[in-house]
Amino acid sequence: MSALTEDQTGRGGRPANGTATTVENPPHPAVPRQPAPPSPTTAGPTPSTNASREPAPSATVSAEPASSATVSAEPAISTTVSGKSAPPTTASAEPTSSTTAPGKPTPAATSPEKPAPPSPATDHPTAPRPPITAVTAVTAVTTELAHRTTETDVFPARWTRISDTRFRFTAHWPAAHPFFGPVDDQHQDPMIVGETLRQASMVLAHAEFGAPADTHFVMWDLTVSVDPAALLLADAAEPVEFDVVCSEIRRRGRGLRSMRTTMEFRRAGRFVARGTGSTGCTPPRAYRRLRAGRLNAWNTPVPLLAGIAPQAAGRSRAEDVVLAPADRPGVWNLRVDTGHPVLFPRPNDHVPGMVLFEAARQAATAASGLRPFLPATLTAEFDHYAELHSPCRIETEVFDEHPGEVTVRVSGRQDGASVFTASLTSARPARVPSPS
């Protein structure tokens, strides 16, 4: 979830599983606010513009390992749909005694700010949304703020401030995308919700809460609930609006130490999804201490394992598969392709959280046998960074606890320790009676 250096953009074209040598991130220019033209309306969604465009207290999609700080926009799982696969970050710049996990913020260490009042993003989905005044600042999302290298990978497009802790975004979820593409001939990829949440969290951390450009982000937990019937390809041209409530805000001076973001997504007024995740911010100096001995991990090429069949993982392209065969059914090895342009948009010293989250989804698909596997709920918690050069096993358990649905619990383990845990639930397709 960190900002990019010139070496991290990949403009020079690095080979698959190639390397880079820098971890420092130069500041990006501040994004000026531009007043929107007066509107005759005083409430309702923010008008679209042509501007361009990371649970409740339960688990996570960010992209980076929760409890860890990452060099990327993803959690270690980097703060990229970084979730928490990186070791939990300390919110402090003080040296840590271990590189494994300073630990998540405790409930007692919450923000000195007052908690946000009830919001449609956290309360009943039909509750009225706060109005936006006729003249308000509309700010465009840039690739730098979203920690992506190409505009086509940025899903939030712009936002307006409603209060100090509430914001309203407009997003675009394309019908076709190199990675977040359709899962079948009817539905968009539910994982795009978690990636949008991850990106919007980083945008607000930088632009609204003072996190410097060289901050390393990690998402400790992520929970998303989706209505797959509202994710239809036929509606992809329609912009998505989502309200954001920021809570549990902890400060570091004038900057940000950590916060929780809770979001509710709607398309054409219809509920699509709800998600929440907590994000930690670590300064570069503290990150270097936290990751001492690991920062140059990308200088050593990572072996690229042969993947399982794309259809078994629910993917259409072999290059998007993140699972490799293991020694028994229901277990796989993590396949790390550091040259993948979406999963590794920049070099990283650990496996980005987005990779781990995608591994959970692919493992749930392969273990359940559902095609497509359309998760209505998905949660993840990240315990440690997933290191690049150590085998990571992805294990699954399948549960048919409720009629008409299947739940798959996924865990990632490396060097005998838990890296992340996730749970994904999908409806089973209705059985069609065979003709007699």
Side-chain angles (χ1 to χ4, degrees):
M1 277 168 91
S2 60
L4 309 179
T5 66
E6 189 67 16
D7 289 335
Q8 291 174 315
T9 61
R11 292 174 188 160
R14 67 184 185 283
N17 287 29
T19 62
T21 57
T22 177
V23 293
E24 288 300 322
N25 301 297
H28 56 263
V31 179
R33 291 179 176 275
Q34 300 177 356
S39 164
T41 61
T42 59
T46 306
S48 282
T49 73
N50 291 326
S52 73
R53 355 191 243 297
E54 210 158 166
S58 68
T60 171
V61 154
S62 134
E64 312 194 25
S67 54
S68 75
T70 84
V71 129
S72 87
E74 313 187 26
I77 85 178
S78 98
T79 237
T80 55
V81 120
S82 255
K84 178 199 308 190
S85 74
T89 78
T90 68
S92 157
E94 294 302 315
T96 64
S97 58
S98 162
T99 61
T100 55
K104 304 178 186 179
T106 61
T110 54
S111 165
E113 300 184 10
K114 295 181 180 179
S119 158
T122 55
D123 299 327
H124 197 278
T126 60
R129 296 190 288 172
I132 294 179
T133 55
V135 180
T136 186
V138 177
T139 310
V141 174
T142 64
T143 54
E144 292 83 4
L145 286 174
H147 289 234
R148 303 303 295 177
T149 55
T150 62
E151 291 186 3
T152 54
D153 291 341
V154 177
F155 301 127
R158 55 195 169 274
W159 81 95
T160 56
R161 172 197 284 263
I162 297 174
S163 73
D164 287 347
T165 55
R166 293 178 184 225
F167 306 88
R168 182 166 298 165
F169 278 75
T170 298
H172 297 285
W173 292 343
H177 184 270
F179 187 78
F180 295 99
V183 294
D184 58 13
D185 58 1
Q186 296 184 51
H187 298 90
Q188 292 189 272
D189 188 352
M191 303 293 276
I192 203 169
V193 177
E195 175 61 10
T196 304
L197 184 151
R198 185 187 71 79
Q199 291 182 16
S201 297
M202 292 185 293
V203 167
L204 292 177
H206 282 311
E208 299 285 357
F209 291 92
D214 56 2
T215 298
H216 299 288
F217 292 91
V218 58
M219 188 164 275
W220 289 307
D221 62 76
L222 180 69
T223 296
V224 174
S225 58
V226 182
D227 177 7
L231 274 178
L232 298 180
L233 284 171
D235 299 329
E238 187 76 31
V240 175
E241 272 204 336
F242 60 102
D243 287 329
V244 183
V245 173
C246 301
S247 61
E248 300 175 27
I249 301 164
R250 305 169 74 213
R251 295 283 187 178
R252 177 187 288 107
R254 294 183 179 180
L256 181 66
R257 187 173 181 178
S258 64
M259 70 175 176
R260 175 171 294 280
T261 48
T262 302
M263 308 182 188
E264 184 172 283
F265 300 80
R266 291 176 180 270
R267 178 183 265 162
R270 178 181 179 180
F271 172 82
V272 175
R274 185 179 293 107
T276 183
S278 57
T279 302
C281 310
T282 303
R285 183 180 299 177
Y287 186 78
R288 288 194 295 270
R289 287 193 293 262
L290 178 68
R291 297 289 294 162
R294 301 282 190 176
L295 290 177
N296 292 323
W298 52 37
N299 286 330
T300 303
V302 180
L304 183 59
L305 305 178
I308 65 174
Q311 295 74 18
R315 305 297 308 194
S316 59
R317 306 189 310 170
E319 56 264 41
D320 295 332
V321 172
V322 297
L323 301 180
D327 53 0
R328 59 187 175 87
V331 178
W332 295 270
N333 291 313
L334 184 66
R335 178 179 185 265
V336 178
D337 179 1
T338 60
H340 194 288
V342 177
L343 297 177
F344 277 84
R346 61 191 129 326
N348 210 332
D349 61 12
H350 57 266
V351 179
M354 183 194 296
V355 178
L356 300 183
F357 204 69
E358 176 63 18
R361 188 261 290 274
Q362 292 187 19
T365 302
S368 68
L370 295 186
R371 309 286 188 280
F373 186 93
L374 282 171
T377 61
L378 40 127
T379 67
E381 290 188 349
F382 301 89
D383 304 313
H384 296 286
Y385 289 107
E387 305 298 347
L388 294 171
H389 298 96
S390 182
C392 182
R393 285 173 66 85
I394 308 298
E395 303 177 350
T396 59
E397 292 181 274
V398 180
F399 298 88
D400 293 303
E401 298 172 339
H402 303 288
E405 68 180 34
V406 59
T407 295
V408 183
R409 295 176 191 168
V410 184
S411 61
R413 297 187 63 81
Q414 187 174 67
D415 298 327
S418 172
V419 171
F420 76 95
T421 56
S423 178
L424 302 89
T425 299
S426 174
R428 286 190 179 279
R431 293 181 179 275
V432 178
S434 58
S436 54

